[in-house]
Amino acid sequence: MKEILKQLCAANGVPGYEDEVRECIREMVEPYADEIIEDHLGNLLVLKKGAKPRKAPMMVCAHMDEVGFLISRITSDGMFKIVPSGGIDPRVLVGRRMEVGPRKVPGVISLKAIHLTTPEERKVAPGIDTLYIDIGASSQKEAEQYARVGDYATFQSRWVEFGDERIRSKAIDDRIGCAVMVQLIREGVEKDTWFAFVVGEEIGSRGAQAAASRLKPRWGLVIEGTTAADIPGVREHERSCFQGGGAVVSLADRGSVYNREFVRRLTGKADEAGIRWQYRASMNGSTDAGVMHQAGEGAQVFGLAAPVRYIHSASNVLHWPDAEEVLKMARLVVKEAECDD
């Protein structure tokens, strides 16, 4: 699964521009799929049949998109002004290497040098409206040969394995969820299962809403990357989850209150199987579960995540043993979600 994740993280997929990620996933799963649907929004819906059908549909979901930027304006001296696509903290941006547009033109995010700033400006983080991407062009006309207003820009961040089985890359949120799903499709399932690789989660679960409306799942599983707050400056009781603790299970967030009996039954099965997991001790944020559980007549959805440090930045950090526990938990949920009683 690690090689799957590495390939997926290398692809670019800002909301609305998930094409490269989708084609990479299609190539990975096509030999194993029983049916593939690409809908009008760009979601990739993959049916994997098991030895027997389910009483009602099950949908496993992960989003293909990553946080990034859109070019909003090209200045007369050839700089690209940008707006965020997804939630990005401007404090992590200055000096970041970027790839701009479908030609993946290299550039760098910058702003005026510290020597030119006032004492008041140095006291606050620069707003995104003050930043720009420099690709080395000297005029608007020259810059427009490489990218246009409306094109995307993504972080240029290579895959690095370091330290105690840790991985650094862009877009681990949520290529880790996509990688787990690809692995499950390749392994096979006991009962028919839909796998939804969806678009637009970072701007409001757009793809998942369309996919869930189409499939009308009775059971669901959302696989995400979530914030690991086990870092200096965060008090222990404020840490939503931590690396090394295994898979992360949600009880509630801003989009969902997860069915407690469903969660307890499946985490009980996980305990019996020796899977390491932890509760997500925070209600911040939301996932595609927020729209999935409202689809059709309503669905029971299990929220599962890998703890990822420095989420929504150029350098997401994942502890690989946690990813392996997420795969184990996902495998169990797909098998056990449909209760026989």
Short mmCIF file of all heavy atoms in Angstrom, two decimals, residues 280-340:
data_model
loop_
_atom_site.label_atom_id
_atom_site.label_comp_id
_atom_site.label_asym_id
_atom_site.label_seq_id
_atom_site.Cartn_x
_atom_site.Cartn_y
_atom_site.Cartn_z
N ARG A 280 -11.10 10.07 18.37
CA ARG A 280 -10.76 11.46 18.02
C ARG A 280 -11.40 12.37 19.06
O ARG A 280 -12.62 12.51 19.11
CB ARG A 280 -11.27 11.79 16.62
CG ARG A 280 -10.89 13.18 16.11
CD ARG A 280 -11.34 13.31 14.66
NE ARG A 280 -10.97 14.61 14.11
CZ ARG A 280 -11.76 15.68 14.13
NH1 ARG A 280 -12.96 15.62 14.72
NH2 ARG A 280 -11.37 16.82 13.60
N ALA A 281 -10.57 12.97 19.89
CA ALA A 281 -11.06 13.73 21.04
C ALA A 281 -11.30 15.20 20.68
O ALA A 281 -10.89 16.11 21.39
CB ALA A 281 -10.06 13.63 22.19
N SER A 282 -11.96 15.43 19.56
CA SER A 282 -12.24 16.79 19.12
C SER A 282 -13.46 16.75 18.22
O SER A 282 -13.72 15.76 17.54
CB SER A 282 -11.05 17.37 18.36
OG SER A 282 -11.40 18.56 17.71
N MET A 283 -14.23 17.84 18.22
CA MET A 283 -15.37 17.96 17.31
C MET A 283 -15.09 18.95 16.18
O MET A 283 -15.99 19.30 15.43
CB MET A 283 -16.63 18.39 18.08
CG MET A 283 -17.21 17.29 18.95
SD MET A 283 -18.81 17.73 19.65
CE MET A 283 -19.81 17.93 18.18
N ASN A 284 -13.85 19.42 16.07
CA ASN A 284 -13.53 20.38 15.03
C ASN A 284 -13.59 19.74 13.65
O ASN A 284 -13.33 18.56 13.47
CB ASN A 284 -12.13 20.96 15.25
CG ASN A 284 -12.05 21.80 16.50
OD1 ASN A 284 -13.04 22.41 16.91
ND2 ASN A 284 -10.90 21.83 17.13
N GLY A 285 -13.91 20.57 12.65
CA GLY A 285 -13.90 20.10 11.28
C GLY A 285 -15.07 19.19 10.95
O GLY A 285 -15.93 18.91 11.79
N SER A 286 -15.10 18.75 9.71
CA SER A 286 -16.13 17.82 9.26
C SER A 286 -15.57 17.02 8.08
O SER A 286 -14.53 17.38 7.51
CB SER A 286 -17.41 18.55 8.84
OG SER A 286 -17.16 19.41 7.75
N THR A 287 -16.26 15.96 7.72
CA THR A 287 -15.82 15.09 6.63
C THR A 287 -17.01 14.81 5.72
O THR A 287 -18.11 15.30 5.92
CB THR A 287 -15.27 13.75 7.17
OG1 THR A 287 -16.37 12.95 7.65
CG2 THR A 287 -14.26 13.96 8.28
N ASP A 288 -16.78 13.97 4.73
CA ASP A 288 -17.85 13.59 3.81
C ASP A 288 -18.95 12.79 4.50
O ASP A 288 -20.04 12.62 3.94
CB ASP A 288 -17.27 12.77 2.65
CG ASP A 288 -16.51 13.64 1.65
OD1 ASP A 288 -16.86 14.83 1.52
OD2 ASP A 288 -15.57 13.13 1.02
N ALA A 289 -18.70 12.31 5.71
CA ALA A 289 -19.75 11.62 6.46
C ALA A 289 -20.96 12.53 6.69
O ALA A 289 -22.10 12.06 6.82
CB ALA A 289 -19.21 11.12 7.80
N GLY A 290 -20.70 13.85 6.75
CA GLY A 290 -21.77 14.80 7.01
C GLY A 290 -22.88 14.75 5.98
O GLY A 290 -24.06 14.96 6.30
N VAL A 291 -22.54 14.49 4.71
CA VAL A 291 -23.56 14.37 3.68
C VAL A 291 -23.95 12.91 3.45
O VAL A 291 -25.10 12.62 3.09
CB VAL A 291 -23.10 15.02 2.36
CG1 VAL A 291 -22.93 16.51 2.54
CG2 VAL A 291 -21.82 14.40 1.83
N MET A 292 -23.02 11.99 3.66
CA MET A 292 -23.33 10.58 3.43
C MET A 292 -24.44 10.08 4.35
O MET A 292 -25.32 9.34 3.92
CB MET A 292 -22.08 9.71 3.63
CG MET A 292 -21.15 9.70 2.46
SD MET A 292 -19.69 8.67 2.79
CE MET A 292 -20.45 7.07 3.03
N HIS A 293 -24.41 10.48 5.62
CA HIS A 293 -25.38 9.91 6.55
C HIS A 293 -26.80 10.44 6.32
O HIS A 293 -27.76 9.92 6.87
CB HIS A 293 -24.94 10.13 8.01
CG HIS A 293 -25.24 11.49 8.56
ND1 HIS A 293 -24.42 12.56 8.38
CD2 HIS A 293 -26.29 11.94 9.30
CE1 HIS A 293 -24.94 13.62 8.99
NE2 HIS A 293 -26.07 13.27 9.55
N GLN A 294 -26.93 11.47 5.46
CA GLN A 294 -28.24 12.02 5.16
C GLN A 294 -28.81 11.50 3.83
O GLN A 294 -29.92 11.87 3.45
CB GLN A 294 -28.16 13.54 5.07
CG GLN A 294 -27.67 14.20 6.35
CD GLN A 294 -27.52 15.70 6.19
OE1 GLN A 294 -28.50 16.42 6.06
NE2 GLN A 294 -26.27 16.16 6.18
N ALA A 295 -28.07 10.67 3.15
CA ALA A 295 -28.48 10.21 1.83
C ALA A 295 -29.64 9.23 1.92
O ALA A 295 -29.73 8.43 2.86
CB ALA A 295 -27.30 9.55 1.11
N GLY A 296 -30.52 9.28 0.91
CA GLY A 296 -31.63 8.34 0.87
C GLY A 296 -32.47 8.39 2.12
O GLY A 296 -32.92 9.46 2.55
N GLU A 297 -32.66 7.25 2.75
CA GLU A 297 -33.41 7.16 3.99
C GLU A 297 -32.51 7.28 5.22
O GLU A 297 -32.95 7.06 6.34
CB GLU A 297 -34.19 5.83 4.04
CG GLU A 297 -35.22 5.71 2.92
CD GLU A 297 -35.95 4.39 2.96
OE1 GLU A 297 -35.63 3.55 3.84
OE2 GLU A 297 -36.84 4.18 2.12
N GLY A 298 -31.24 7.64 4.99
CA GLY A 298 -30.29 7.78 6.09
C GLY A 298 -29.37 6.58 6.17
O GLY A 298 -29.75 5.46 5.86
N ALA A 299 -28.12 6.84 6.55
CA ALA A 299 -27.12 5.77 6.60
C ALA A 299 -26.37 5.80 7.92
O ALA A 299 -26.21 6.85 8.53
CB ALA A 299 -26.12 5.93 5.45
N GLN A 300 -25.94 4.63 8.35
CA GLN A 300 -25.00 4.54 9.47
C GLN A 300 -23.60 4.60 8.87
O GLN A 300 -23.23 3.78 8.04
CB GLN A 300 -25.20 3.23 10.24
CG GLN A 300 -26.50 3.20 11.04
CD GLN A 300 -26.64 1.92 11.84
OE1 GLN A 300 -26.14 0.87 11.46
NE2 GLN A 300 -27.32 2.00 12.97
N VAL A 301 -22.83 5.62 9.30
CA VAL A 301 -21.51 5.87 8.72
C VAL A 301 -20.45 5.81 9.81
O VAL A 301 -20.63 6.36 10.90
CB VAL A 301 -21.47 7.25 8.03
CG1 VAL A 301 -20.09 7.50 7.42
CG2 VAL A 301 -22.54 7.34 6.95
N PHE A 302 -19.36 5.14 9.51
CA PHE A 302 -18.23 5.01 10.42
C PHE A 302 -17.15 5.97 9.97
O PHE A 302 -16.73 5.95 8.80
CB PHE A 302 -17.71 3.56 10.39
CG PHE A 302 -16.75 3.23 11.49
CD1 PHE A 302 -17.21 2.76 12.72
CD2 PHE A 302 -15.38 3.36 11.31
CE1 PHE A 302 -16.34 2.42 13.73
CE2 PHE A 302 -14.48 3.03 12.32
CZ PHE A 302 -14.97 2.56 13.54
N GLY A 303 -16.70 6.84 10.87
CA GLY A 303 -15.66 7.81 10.56
C GLY A 303 -14.29 7.30 10.98
O GLY A 303 -14.03 7.12 12.17
N LEU A 304 -13.41 7.07 10.02
CA LEU A 304 -12.10 6.48 10.26
C LEU A 304 -11.03 7.40 9.66
O LEU A 304 -11.21 7.95 8.58
CB LEU A 304 -12.04 5.10 9.60
CG LEU A 304 -10.72 4.34 9.61
CD1 LEU A 304 -10.30 4.00 11.04
CD2 LEU A 304 -10.85 3.05 8.78
N ALA A 305 -9.90 7.55 10.36
CA ALA A 305 -8.85 8.44 9.86
C ALA A 305 -7.48 7.99 10.30
O ALA A 305 -7.32 7.25 11.29
CB ALA A 305 -9.10 9.88 10.33
N ALA A 306 -6.48 8.46 9.56
CA ALA A 306 -5.09 8.33 9.96
C ALA A 306 -4.65 9.64 10.60
O ALA A 306 -4.97 10.72 10.09
CB ALA A 306 -4.21 8.04 8.75
N PRO A 307 -3.93 9.60 11.72
CA PRO A 307 -3.44 10.84 12.33
C PRO A 307 -2.28 11.42 11.53
O PRO A 307 -1.25 10.76 11.34
CB PRO A 307 -2.99 10.39 13.73
CG PRO A 307 -2.70 8.93 13.60
CD PRO A 307 -3.57 8.41 12.51
N VAL A 308 -2.44 12.64 11.03
CA VAL A 308 -1.46 13.27 10.15
C VAL A 308 -1.02 14.60 10.76
O VAL A 308 -1.85 15.46 11.05
CB VAL A 308 -2.05 13.51 8.74
CG1 VAL A 308 -1.01 14.15 7.83
CG2 VAL A 308 -2.55 12.20 8.14
N ARG A 309 0.26 14.78 10.94
CA ARG A 309 0.79 16.07 11.42
C ARG A 309 0.87 17.07 10.27
O ARG A 309 1.09 16.70 9.13
CB ARG A 309 2.18 15.89 12.03
CG ARG A 309 2.20 15.12 13.34
CD ARG A 309 3.62 14.94 13.84
NE ARG A 309 3.68 14.18 15.09
CZ ARG A 309 4.78 13.64 15.58
NH1 ARG A 309 5.94 13.78 14.94
NH2 ARG A 309 4.75 12.95 16.72
N TYR A 310 0.72 18.35 10.62
CA TYR A 310 0.91 19.46 9.68
C TYR A 310 -0.02 19.35 8.46
O TYR A 310 0.37 19.57 7.32
CB TYR A 310 2.37 19.58 9.25
CG TYR A 310 3.32 19.22 10.36
CD1 TYR A 310 4.28 18.23 10.21
CD2 TYR A 310 3.22 19.85 11.61
CE1 TYR A 310 5.13 17.89 11.25
CE2 TYR A 310 4.07 19.52 12.66
CZ TYR A 310 5.02 18.53 12.47
OH TYR A 310 5.85 18.18 13.50
N ILE A 311 -1.26 19.03 8.76
CA ILE A 311 -2.27 18.84 7.72
C ILE A 311 -2.52 20.18 7.01
O ILE A 311 -2.30 21.25 7.57
CB ILE A 311 -3.55 18.26 8.37
CG1 ILE A 311 -4.30 17.37 7.41
CG2 ILE A 311 -4.41 19.34 8.97
CD1 ILE A 311 -5.33 16.50 8.07
N HIS A 312 -2.96 20.13 5.77
CA HIS A 312 -3.24 21.31 4.95
C HIS A 312 -2.01 22.19 4.77
O HIS A 312 -2.09 23.41 4.74
CB HIS A 312 -4.39 22.14 5.55
CG HIS A 312 -5.74 21.51 5.34
ND1 HIS A 312 -6.89 22.24 5.33
CD2 HIS A 312 -6.11 20.22 5.12
CE1 HIS A 312 -7.92 21.43 5.12
NE2 HIS A 312 -7.46 20.20 4.99
N SER A 313 -0.86 21.54 4.63
CA SER A 313 0.37 22.26 4.35
C SER A 313 1.13 21.50 3.27
O SER A 313 0.66 20.47 2.76
CB SER A 313 1.24 22.38 5.62
OG SER A 313 1.88 21.15 5.91
N ALA A 314 2.33 21.98 2.95
CA ALA A 314 3.14 21.32 1.93
C ALA A 314 3.81 20.05 2.45
O ALA A 314 4.31 19.25 1.67
CB ALA A 314 4.21 22.28 1.42
N SER A 315 3.83 19.88 3.77
CA SER A 315 4.59 18.78 4.37
C SER A 315 3.75 18.03 5.40
O SER A 315 3.97 18.13 6.59
CB SER A 315 5.87 19.32 5.02
OG SER A 315 6.69 19.96 4.07
N ASN A 316 2.75 17.29 4.91
CA ASN A 316 2.02 16.38 5.79
C ASN A 316 2.98 15.29 6.27
O ASN A 316 3.85 14.85 5.51
CB ASN A 316 0.88 15.70 5.04
CG ASN A 316 -0.17 16.65 4.48
OD1 ASN A 316 -1.07 16.20 3.80
ND2 ASN A 316 -0.06 17.94 4.74
N VAL A 317 2.82 14.85 7.52
CA VAL A 317 3.67 13.78 8.06
C VAL A 317 2.79 12.66 8.59
O VAL A 317 1.88 12.89 9.40
CB VAL A 317 4.59 14.31 9.18
CG1 VAL A 317 5.32 13.15 9.87
CG2 VAL A 317 5.61 15.30 8.59
N LEU A 318 3.06 11.45 8.12
CA LEU A 318 2.31 10.24 8.48
C LEU A 318 3.23 9.24 9.14
O LEU A 318 4.37 9.06 8.69
CB LEU A 318 1.70 9.64 7.22
CG LEU A 318 0.99 8.28 7.34
CD1 LEU A 318 -0.31 8.42 8.12
CD2 LEU A 318 0.73 7.71 5.94
N HIS A 319 2.75 8.58 10.19
CA HIS A 319 3.47 7.47 10.82
C HIS A 319 2.96 6.19 10.19
O HIS A 319 1.78 5.84 10.37
CB HIS A 319 3.23 7.49 12.34
CG HIS A 319 4.07 6.55 13.10
ND1 HIS A 319 3.57 5.68 14.06
CD2 HIS A 319 5.41 6.31 13.07
CE1 HIS A 319 4.54 4.98 14.58
NE2 HIS A 319 5.67 5.33 14.00
N TRP A 320 3.81 5.49 9.44
CA TRP A 320 3.33 4.39 8.63
C TRP A 320 2.61 3.29 9.43
O TRP A 320 1.59 2.76 8.95
CB TRP A 320 4.46 3.78 7.79
CG TRP A 320 3.92 2.75 6.86
CD1 TRP A 320 4.09 1.41 6.90
CD2 TRP A 320 3.02 3.00 5.76
NE1 TRP A 320 3.40 0.79 5.90
CE2 TRP A 320 2.73 1.74 5.19
CE3 TRP A 320 2.46 4.14 5.22
CZ2 TRP A 320 1.88 1.61 4.09
CZ3 TRP A 320 1.61 4.01 4.13
CH2 TRP A 320 1.34 2.76 3.57
N PRO A 321 3.06 2.90 10.62
CA PRO A 321 2.31 1.89 11.38
C PRO A 321 0.85 2.30 11.63
O PRO A 321 -0.03 1.43 11.69
CB PRO A 321 3.09 1.76 12.68
CG PRO A 321 4.50 2.09 12.29
CD PRO A 321 4.35 3.21 11.29
N ASP A 322 0.57 3.59 11.78
CA ASP A 322 -0.82 4.04 11.92
C ASP A 322 -1.60 3.75 10.65
O ASP A 322 -2.78 3.34 10.71
CB ASP A 322 -0.87 5.54 12.22
CG ASP A 322 -0.33 5.89 13.60
OD1 ASP A 322 -0.44 5.07 14.51
OD2 ASP A 322 0.19 7.01 13.75
N ALA A 323 -0.99 3.97 9.49
CA ALA A 323 -1.66 3.70 8.22
C ALA A 323 -2.02 2.22 8.10
O ALA A 323 -3.10 1.87 7.58
CB ALA A 323 -0.76 4.11 7.06
N GLU A 324 -1.15 1.35 8.58
CA GLU A 324 -1.44 -0.08 8.53
C GLU A 324 -2.63 -0.45 9.42
O GLU A 324 -3.44 -1.32 9.07
CB GLU A 324 -0.20 -0.86 8.94
CG GLU A 324 0.95 -0.72 7.93
CD GLU A 324 2.22 -1.41 8.39
OE1 GLU A 324 2.48 -1.46 9.61
OE2 GLU A 324 2.96 -1.92 7.51
N GLU A 325 -2.77 0.25 10.55
CA GLU A 325 -3.92 0.00 11.42
C GLU A 325 -5.21 0.53 10.78
O GLU A 325 -6.28 -0.06 10.95
CB GLU A 325 -3.71 0.65 12.79
CG GLU A 325 -2.53 0.08 13.58
CD GLU A 325 -2.63 -1.41 13.81
OE1 GLU A 325 -3.69 -1.88 14.31
OE2 GLU A 325 -1.66 -2.14 13.47
N VAL A 326 -5.11 1.64 10.06
CA VAL A 326 -6.28 2.16 9.34
C VAL A 326 -6.75 1.14 8.31
O VAL A 326 -7.96 0.90 8.16
CB VAL A 326 -5.95 3.51 8.66
CG1 VAL A 326 -7.10 3.96 7.75
CG2 VAL A 326 -5.68 4.58 9.71
N LEU A 327 -5.82 0.53 7.58
CA LEU A 327 -6.19 -0.50 6.61
C LEU A 327 -6.89 -1.67 7.30
O LEU A 327 -7.91 -2.17 6.82
CB LEU A 327 -4.95 -0.97 5.86
CG LEU A 327 -5.15 -2.15 4.90
CD1 LEU A 327 -6.17 -1.82 3.82
CD2 LEU A 327 -3.82 -2.57 4.28
N LYS A 328 -6.35 -2.11 8.42
CA LYS A 328 -6.97 -3.23 9.15
C LYS A 328 -8.39 -2.87 9.59
O LYS A 328 -9.31 -3.68 9.48
CB LYS A 328 -6.12 -3.59 10.36
CG LYS A 328 -4.76 -4.19 10.06
CD LYS A 328 -3.97 -4.41 11.34
CE LYS A 328 -2.55 -4.83 11.07
NZ LYS A 328 -1.77 -4.95 12.34
N MET A 329 -8.55 -1.66 10.13
CA MET A 329 -9.86 -1.23 10.60
C MET A 329 -10.84 -1.10 9.43
O MET A 329 -12.00 -1.51 9.53
CB MET A 329 -9.76 0.09 11.36
CG MET A 329 -11.08 0.61 11.90
SD MET A 329 -11.75 -0.36 13.28
CE MET A 329 -10.91 0.46 14.65
N ALA A 330 -10.38 -0.54 8.31
CA ALA A 330 -11.25 -0.41 7.14
C ALA A 330 -11.69 -1.77 6.63
O ALA A 330 -12.86 -1.98 6.27
CB ALA A 330 -10.51 0.36 6.04
N ARG A 331 -10.77 -2.70 6.60
CA ARG A 331 -11.07 -4.07 6.17
C ARG A 331 -12.16 -4.67 7.06
O ARG A 331 -13.11 -5.31 6.58
CB ARG A 331 -9.78 -4.89 6.23
CG ARG A 331 -9.85 -6.23 5.57
CD ARG A 331 -8.53 -6.95 5.74
NE ARG A 331 -7.45 -6.38 4.92
CZ ARG A 331 -6.23 -6.11 5.37
NH1 ARG A 331 -5.91 -6.31 6.64
NH2 ARG A 331 -5.32 -5.64 4.54
N LEU A 332 -12.04 -4.45 8.36
CA LEU A 332 -13.01 -4.98 9.31
C LEU A 332 -14.39 -4.33 9.14
O LEU A 332 -15.42 -5.01 9.15
CB LEU A 332 -12.50 -4.77 10.74
CG LEU A 332 -13.39 -5.29 11.87
CD1 LEU A 332 -12.54 -5.87 13.00
CD2 LEU A 332 -14.29 -4.18 12.43
N VAL A 333 -14.41 -2.99 8.98
CA VAL A 333 -15.69 -2.29 8.84
C VAL A 333 -16.42 -2.73 7.59
O VAL A 333 -17.64 -2.97 7.60
CB VAL A 333 -15.48 -0.76 8.84
CG1 VAL A 333 -16.78 -0.03 8.54
CG2 VAL A 333 -14.92 -0.29 10.19
N VAL A 334 -15.71 -2.88 6.47
CA VAL A 334 -16.33 -3.34 5.24
C VAL A 334 -16.93 -4.72 5.44
O VAL A 334 -18.03 -5.02 4.92
CB VAL A 334 -15.31 -3.33 4.09
CG1 VAL A 334 -15.86 -4.04 2.85
CG2 VAL A 334 -14.93 -1.90 3.74
N LYS A 335 -16.28 -5.55 6.20
CA LYS A 335 -16.76 -6.92 6.43
C LYS A 335 -17.93 -6.95 7.42
O LYS A 335 -18.89 -7.70 7.22
CB LYS A 335 -15.61 -7.77 6.97
CG LYS A 335 -16.01 -9.19 7.31
CD LYS A 335 -14.83 -9.97 7.90
CE LYS A 335 -15.25 -11.39 8.28
NZ LYS A 335 -14.12 -12.15 8.88
N GLU A 336 -17.86 -6.14 8.48
CA GLU A 336 -18.79 -6.28 9.60
C GLU A 336 -19.89 -5.22 9.66
O GLU A 336 -20.74 -5.29 10.53
CB GLU A 336 -18.01 -6.23 10.92
CG GLU A 336 -16.93 -7.29 11.07
CD GLU A 336 -17.52 -8.68 11.33
OE1 GLU A 336 -18.73 -8.79 11.58
OE2 GLU A 336 -16.74 -9.66 11.26
N ALA A 337 -19.88 -4.24 8.77
CA ALA A 337 -20.84 -3.13 8.90
C ALA A 337 -22.28 -3.60 8.83
O ALA A 337 -23.14 -3.12 9.55
CB ALA A 337 -20.58 -2.10 7.80
N GLU A 338 -22.55 -4.55 7.96
CA GLU A 338 -23.92 -5.03 7.80
C GLU A 338 -24.25 -6.02 8.90
O GLU A 338 -23.77 -7.14 8.93
CB GLU A 338 -24.08 -5.68 6.43
CG GLU A 338 -25.48 -6.14 6.13
CD GLU A 338 -25.62 -6.72 4.72
OE1 GLU A 338 -24.58 -6.99 4.09
OE2 GLU A 338 -26.74 -6.88 4.27
N CYS A 339 -25.07 -5.58 9.83
CA CYS A 339 -25.44 -6.43 10.96
C CYS A 339 -26.51 -7.42 10.51
O CYS A 339 -27.46 -7.08 9.81
CB CYS A 339 -25.97 -5.57 12.11
SG CYS A 339 -26.24 -6.47 13.64
N ASP A 340 -26.37 -8.66 10.92
CA ASP A 340 -27.30 -9.72 10.47
C ASP A 340 -28.58 -9.80 11.27
O ASP A 340 -29.51 -10.48 10.90
CB ASP A 340 -26.60 -11.09 10.53
CG ASP A 340 -25.48 -11.19 9.50
OD1 ASP A 340 -25.61 -10.57 8.44
OD2 ASP A 340 -24.47 -11.86 9.79
#
